[in-house]
Amino acid sequence: GAVVSQHPSRVICKSGTSVKIECRSLDFQATTMFWYRQFPKQSLMLMATSNEGSKATYEQGVEKDKFLINHASLTLSTLTVTSAHPEDSSFYICSARVSFGLAGITDTQYFGPGTRLTVL
Amino acid sequence: DAKTTQPPSMDCAEGRAANLPCNHSTISGNEYVYWYRQIHSQGPQYIIHGLKNNETNEMASLIITEDRKSSTLILPHATLRDTAVYYCIVRVAETSYDKVIFGPGTSLSVIP
């Protein structure tokens, strides 16, 4: 199946610093990638939709100036958590949408392994 | 996207079939049923999807009722590694901003 990687898998940073998380589709091209956040014992929450070459679309309540998303190529999207604070500590997961079948009749999202962010 | 309802948790004996139900009574004609699972501290894993016909792959089978208002994911021979949270999602494909929205899912525990 399609493979999505994330880097780093785990990061610890001091409060006030910025952290960049990379999401790569390894064996396919992804015009659309998604970023999720997951707190302990909760389900995944969609943060934003990233389309290659255009601005990301953020879900309600997600600060676009705090969570900067760049999707500069068909295989790479980045999420930068700016001026991170302890409440930003979470599990961040990206996914990439693959189109297959007849003219995109069906599609499937494949997920990365996640990045555990801890802000001290 | 239509909402889904799943039991919060289920147990299954190792080696037995695990049958995970999902209700999606408000599903639209162009919405697909997708199943994902998430093993602890990992990213979700795609399992299977379907529109109205039953589907089978190397991981599982998906049974969709004729009225499409509910479905069942079947893991034919559950192993301990199948312990995970299973998410049933209905969504429209073929749209530029289509996205997977997760509900609370079903926490499946496979017991030795």
Side-chain angles (χ1 to χ4, degrees):
Chain A
V3 179
V4 177
S5 71
Q6 280 185 243
H7 178 80
S9 59
R10 183 182 298 266
V11 58
I12 300 172
C13 69
K14 293 181 178 179
S15 184
T17 60
S18 294
V19 175
K20 180 185 285 188
I21 303 170
E22 293 185 348
C23 176
R24 293 182 184 274
S25 55
L26 298 185
D27 50 1
F28 65 96
Q29 293 181 331
T31 55
T32 305
M33 291 184 173
F34 304 86
W35 288 95
Y36 295 81
R37 180 168 54 180
Q38 186 176 33
F39 293 107
K41 299 188 185 301
Q42 294 186 22
S43 188
L44 285 80
M45 184 189 75
L46 179 66
M47 299 174 67
T49 302
S50 167
N51 288 288
E52 187 266 338
S54 65
K55 291 183 178 180
T57 302
Y58 291 81
E59 296 297 305
Q60 192 171 11
V62 178
E63 300 175 61
K64 62 180 181 181
D65 294 331
K66 181 170 184 63
F67 299 100
L68 301 179
I69 292 173
N70 183 278
H71 192 161
S73 78
L74 290 173
T75 60
L76 173 65
S77 176
T78 60
L79 168 69
T80 301
V81 183
T82 62
S83 187
H85 288 95
E87 57 266 30
D88 298 323
S89 298
S90 188
F91 192 48
Y92 291 86
I93 305 168
C94 72
S95 72
R97 187 167 71 100
V98 180
S99 294
F100 60 92
L102 296 176
I105 287 177
T106 65
D107 71 329
T108 300
Q109 287 183 33
Y110 289 89
F111 288 79
T115 297
R116 175 83 51 197
L117 171 63
T118 302
V119 185
L120 302 176
Chain B
D1 289 346
K3 291 185 177 180
T4 63
T5 304
Q6 298 177 253
S9 64
M10 291 181 63
D11 291 340
C12 176
E14 187 178 17
R16 295 293 185 102
N19 297 287
L20 292 93
C22 179
N23 286 320
H24 32 79
S25 58
T26 60
I27 191 170
S28 300
N30 61 347
E31 288 183 312
Y32 290 75
V33 180
Y34 281 76
W35 283 84
Y36 291 82
R37 73 179 183 184
Q38 186 180 26
I39 296 170
H40 183 62
S41 294
Q42 297 183 23
Q45 176 187 23
Y46 164 78
I47 301 174
I48 198 167
H49 75 281
L51 183 61
K52 54 183 178 181
N53 297 321
N54 297 337
E55 303 288 344
T56 296
N57 62 20
E58 64 278 3
M59 289 183 66
S61 294
L62 173 61
I63 308 298
I64 303 174
T65 58
E66 192 169 343
D67 62 7
R68 302 209 324 122
K69 293 185 177 182
S70 66
S71 60
T72 301
L73 178 74
I74 301 173
L75 307 178
H77 306 286
T79 70
L80 298 179
R81 288 177 295 179
D82 291 322
T83 293
V85 178
Y86 287 77
Y87 298 98
C88 168
I89 294 154
V90 293
R91 53 190 279 251
V92 178
E94 208 182 345
T95 57
S96 299
Y97 297 98
D98 185 36
K99 50 196 178 186
V100 175
I101 303 296
F102 287 85
T106 295
S107 178
L108 174 69
S109 297
V110 180
I111 302 169

